[in-house]
Every structure is written in C-alpha cells, then in structure tokens.
Amino acid sequence: MSLLFSPLLLRSVTFPNRLWVSPMCMYSAVDGVVQDWHRTHLTQFASGGAGLVVAEATAVVPEGRISPRDAGIWTDEQRDAWAPIVDGIHARGALAGIQLAHAGRKASTWWPWAPQRGSVPASEGGWVTTAPSAVPFQGFDTPRALAIADIDDLVDAFATAARRSLDAGFDVLELHGAHGYLIHQFLSPLSNLREDEYGGSLENRARLLLRILDAVRRIAGEAVPVFVRISATDHADGGFSPDEATIVGEWAREHGADLIDVSSGGLVAHQRIDVFPGYQVGLAGTVRRGGRIPTSAVGLITAAEQAERVLEDGDADAIFAGREWLRDPHFALRAAHELGVEIPWPSQYERARWR
C-alpha cells in the first residue's frame, strides 16, 4: 500500500491522496479578480490526479497584494469569480483550498516578468506598504509600521476573507505565514522590532498569527481544515529558527490549526540556503515531531519514490509540490503508475493509461 496514495482525514474532510498542489502566484488577476487563466491553470491539476489543489496567495485587503496583478478575496465580485473555479476542481475529483495572504513590506512590487524591479510607484498603481516595523526589505520602499488598530482591522479582514472563501466553496483554508510576508514578518526578530505586545518574545511575535487563526477557526467551524504555511527558518543569523517553528506549530495546533505547511526562507535578501532535492523535508519532520501536529513537506520534491519515502520516514503527512506540477500537470497519474498504484483517471484520458 502506498502512503502517497492513501486517504488522509482532517476534521470532516477526507483527502483522496497526499500528493497536493502548492499555491503558486500567477500574477494574472485584474483588480484582484481571477480570470479564465486561473480556471484553466487550476482545474488541470485536478484532472491530473491531485488530491488537493490550493489556489495562489490571495490577498485579504488590496494593500496586501504582492503585486497589482495578484488575486484577492476582499470583495463579493472576487468571491464570485473564484466559485466556478472551485466547481471545476470538484468536478474533476479534487478538493480545493485557498491561501489567505497579506504581503506586508513585500507588497506593491512588480510581477516577475515585468521589466522593472522593486516597489511599484503610486503613479503606476502601487501603494504604501505596511509591516510590523518600518524596516524595508532590501531594495523595496520603507513600509509604515502598523498601529494596534490596524492590526485589529487585519484580523477582521482575514476572518471576512475566510467567510467569502467558504461561500465560494473552498474545502480548505490556509494562512500564509511564510516567505517573508506579513505574518512571517511578525514572527521573525529580523523584521519585527516592536516593543509592544506584538514584539520581543516569541509569544508576542506569534500573537498576530494566533489571533488570525482564532478568528478564522470561528468562521470555519469544527468541520473545515485550516492549514498554516510557515517558513521554519530564515536561513539567516538571529532569525526565526526551527526550534521556534516547532513551538509555534504546537501553539497553532492548540488554536485550531490542523496542519503546518512547512517551507523556509524569503524574509531577508541575505539568506543563505543550501538547495538540494527535498532540502526542506527535515524541517517538516522537526515541526511534525516537536509540534505534535501533522505537516506537509515541500521543496524540490519531483519524483514518486522520493515523495513516498518522505511519508514512510515520518517527516510529513502529505506532500506539496509546485514546479513539478507546472512541468507535468498529470504528476499524480504518473506517480501512481511509478508506484504501481491504481487511481481513477478521467474517462477522457483512459486510452492513455499505462497497462
């Protein structure tokens, strides 16, 4: 029996397998509204056998977008644009998740293929960014430090976005606390220099995440799984560490999180990462064992046997992949074949099934 293609139960949701699609920004929305590109892009992975397809980082407020082309869910129009995409994922046999996000000091930037780099000026659609402290990411504009009232409003914005996400039909909610975006900026002492109840100790630096988690869990009720993506290390001296990530994982479980989606890095430009196949798997194992919470692993996981081994070794409960799904939208169909597992194929594709 393959662990990769065994079901996983989290709260009331049974995931048909454990090979999932990571949220990947497409920078193709218009005023936060997803387009036909998103429907084609996301539903293809469901046809390819994914157990869960998580939509890209989706901003809970306009100023939370990474770029002016990012997806959002702060309006009913945006919610209604997501709904048929969710329906398409469901019709093809997969579950649908959404990653709720705020980019903080890394917001208002150019999309990857733009000829410019850095912050987008107001004259071209940019805006003033916000962060825990007025400390810029290298090469970006200096953000405005959030006041307590701003933080309260942000918690409410995440809760409202969660409500719209459920109304759109999403099965899973994920909070983006990784890759140097706002929640991660609060977690790390490299970007959080506050001297109030949101800065200093780890308990204070985690306060925003846990408040958001509490608010989203109230909206989600007891049935809907809530994930938290974290960067389990900043890969920089004095930054957020695996030991702290383990503690935060345990706190998140106590506040209603069902799974920690373990990534790393993204907070500072001077990070030093040793990249190799599965380079973040050990971090997922550390958080899983120390935090006593299910985890998912991600990071250069590109082959069926490699993914199976991660689960067999007890480092994670599920596998998220990104670039491999872009290279092969039928990654799960191929992986199942390589592991000798029979899984359902779309009837339209049956003629291509390996025999």
Side-chain angles (χ1 to χ4, degrees), residues 83-102:
I85 296 174
V86 174
D87 290 344
I89 292 170
H90 287 160
R92 291 159 178 81
L95 296 170
I98 186 169
Q99 186 182 68
L100 303 178
H102 190 300

Side-chain angles (χ1 to χ4, degrees), residues 260-278:
I260 304 296
D261 178 6
V262 181
S263 188
S264 71
L267 184 88
V268 291
H270 63 272
Q271 65 185 9
R272 292 291 181 266
I273 306 177
D274 183 15
V275 177
F276 52 89

Side-chain angles (χ1 to χ4, degrees), residues 4-341:
L4 191 62
F5 289 96
S6 65
L8 175 65
L9 176 65
L10 294 174
R11 293 195 181 258
S12 68
V13 175
T14 300
F15 299 82
N17 65 49
R18 304 175 187 226
L19 184 53
W20 302 344
V21 179
S22 282
M24 293 176 281
C25 289
M26 293 289 104
Y27 306 100
S28 299
V30 178
D31 295 326
V33 178
V34 290
Q35 304 293 304
D36 185 61
W37 169 270
H38 299 86
R39 180 185 178 95
T40 302
H41 166 67
L42 291 168
T43 58
Q44 67 178 337
F45 303 128
S47 296
L52 170 67
V53 179
V54 180
E56 63 192 79
T58 302
V60 300
V61 291
E63 60 272 19
R65 291 171 292 167
I66 302 167
S67 82
R69 293 190 175 189
D70 277 34
I73 195 159
W74 67 84
T75 72
D76 291 349
E77 179 187 9
Q78 293 161 353
R79 173 202 63 198
D80 294 344
W82 276 117
I85 296 174
V86 174
D87 290 344
I89 292 170
H90 287 160
R92 291 159 178 81
L95 296 170
I98 186 169
Q99 186 182 68
L100 303 178
H102 190 300
R105 68 179 187 172
K106 293 177 75 175
S108 189
T109 60
W110 294 101
W111 46 97
W113 57 88
Q116 306 92 328
R117 289 292 179 268
S119 298
V120 178
S123 61
E124 299 194 53
W127 56 89
V128 176
T129 60
T130 58
S133 304
V135 179
F137 185 82
Q138 183 174 314
F140 293 178
D141 291 347
T142 299
R144 176 179 64 83
L146 289 161
I148 296 296
D150 298 324
I151 292 173
D152 293 340
D153 290 343
L154 271 173
V155 175
D156 291 341
F158 271 90
T160 301
R163 178 70 271 160
R164 285 197 174 99
S165 299
L166 296 181
D167 290 345
F170 284 102
D171 307 291
V172 174
L173 305 174
E174 177 169 276
L175 306 180
H176 198 350
H179 301 161
Y181 299 126
L182 185 68
I183 293 174
H184 185 186
Q185 291 162 28
F186 271 86
L187 287 171
S188 176
L190 297 179
S191 49
N192 183 348
L193 307 182
R194 299 177 73 98
E195 297 180 351
D196 60 9
E197 64 265 40
Y198 290 93
S201 68
L202 179 60
E203 181 179 15
N204 284 354
R205 286 183 276 122
R207 192 178 305 278
L208 175 63
L209 167 60
L210 300 181
R211 282 193 64 193
I212 291 171
L213 187 50
D214 286 342
V216 169
R217 172 49 66 200
R218 284 194 293 271
I219 297 298
E222 292 301 314
V224 176
V226 177
F227 297 176
V228 178
R229 172 165 270 197
I230 65 169
S231 283
T233 175
D234 289 339
H235 296 288
D237 291 343
F240 192 64
S241 69
D243 288 342
E244 290 184 321
T246 295
I247 296 169
V248 170
E250 186 167 16
W251 289 345
R253 175 180 58 79
E254 293 169 354
H255 284 257
D258 300 293
L259 179 141
I260 304 296
D261 178 6
V262 181
S263 188
S264 71
L267 184 88
V268 291
H270 63 272
Q271 65 185 9
R272 292 291 181 266
I273 306 177
D274 183 15
V275 177
F276 52 89
Y279 69 101
Q280 297 173 143
V281 168
L283 295 169
T286 295
V287 174
R288 183 178 190 263
R289 286 181 280 270
R292 296 179 295 166
I293 186 169
T295 64
S296 58
V298 68
L300 293 184
I301 299 175
T302 60
E305 290 186 0
Q306 177 194 18
E308 183 76 20
R309 187 165 57 253
V310 171
L311 302 182
E312 289 176 348
D313 290 346
D315 284 320
D317 299 88
I319 302 296
F320 268 119
R323 290 175 176 83
E324 191 62 23
W325 282 104
L326 297 183
R327 288 186 283 264
D328 180 3
H330 306 110
F331 181 27
L333 300 183
R334 169 168 58 85
H337 169 69
E338 291 173 356
L339 294 173
V341 177

